[in-house]
């Protein structure tokens, strides 16, 4: 190995070692998903996905959809289809996919 490649390797290892503790710190920060506002059923995104805050489809609710990432038993939670907003656990939209 030449001297330049060795220096580059050592500097990259040092930078990589510094990233690990920083990423652990970021991962340990509290989530602010509970602070997210609820989806407005009248918004363009909600209208396009036919979102309703109370499902009329029986057992098809956001809480048992694959896309819903809220905690079990909570009244609302995040959904990747509505970034920055929370959906009602008893809601429904046309992108509903039952959990396996």
């Amino acid at each position: 190995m030449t001297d330049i490649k060795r220096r580059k390797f050592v500097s990259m290892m040092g930078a990589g070692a510094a990233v690990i503790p920083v990423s652990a710190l970021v991962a340990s920060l509290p989530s602010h998903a509970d602070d997210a506002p609820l989806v407005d059923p009248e918004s363009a995104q909600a209208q396009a996905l036919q979102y309703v805050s109370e499902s009329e489809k029986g057992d098809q609710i956001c809480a048992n959809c694959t896309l819903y990432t809220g905690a079990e038993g909570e009244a609302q939670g995040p959904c990747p289809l509505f970034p920055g907003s929370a959906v009602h656990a008893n809601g429904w939209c046309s992108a509903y996919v039952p959990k396996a």
Side-chain angles (χ1 to χ4, degrees):
M1 233 158 100
T2 66
D3 196 36
I4 294 173
K5 287 183 182 178
R6 187 176 302 132
R7 285 184 198 157
K8 189 172 184 175
F9 175 75
V10 170
S11 66
M12 292 298 285
M13 291 300 292
V19 168
I20 293 171
V22 172
S23 64
L25 175 66
V26 170
S28 69
L29 294 174
S31 171
H32 295 288
D34 295 337
D35 300 340
L38 286 170
V39 171
D40 178 12
E42 302 301 317
S43 70
Q45 177 75 2
Q47 292 285 321
L49 292 170
Q50 302 169 356
Y51 173 78
V52 292
S53 58
E54 285 293 322
S55 175
E56 298 172 357
K57 304 280 185 181
D59 61 339
Q60 291 185 10
I61 59 173
C62 291
N64 61 19
C65 176
T66 302
L67 299 171
Y68 182 78
T69 57
E72 190 173 328
E74 292 292 320
Q76 64 193 41
C79 176
L81 298 176
F82 302 99
S85 299
V87 296
H88 287 280
N90 291 326
W92 179 89
C93 81
S94 61
Y96 174 81
V97 178
K99 288 183 181 177

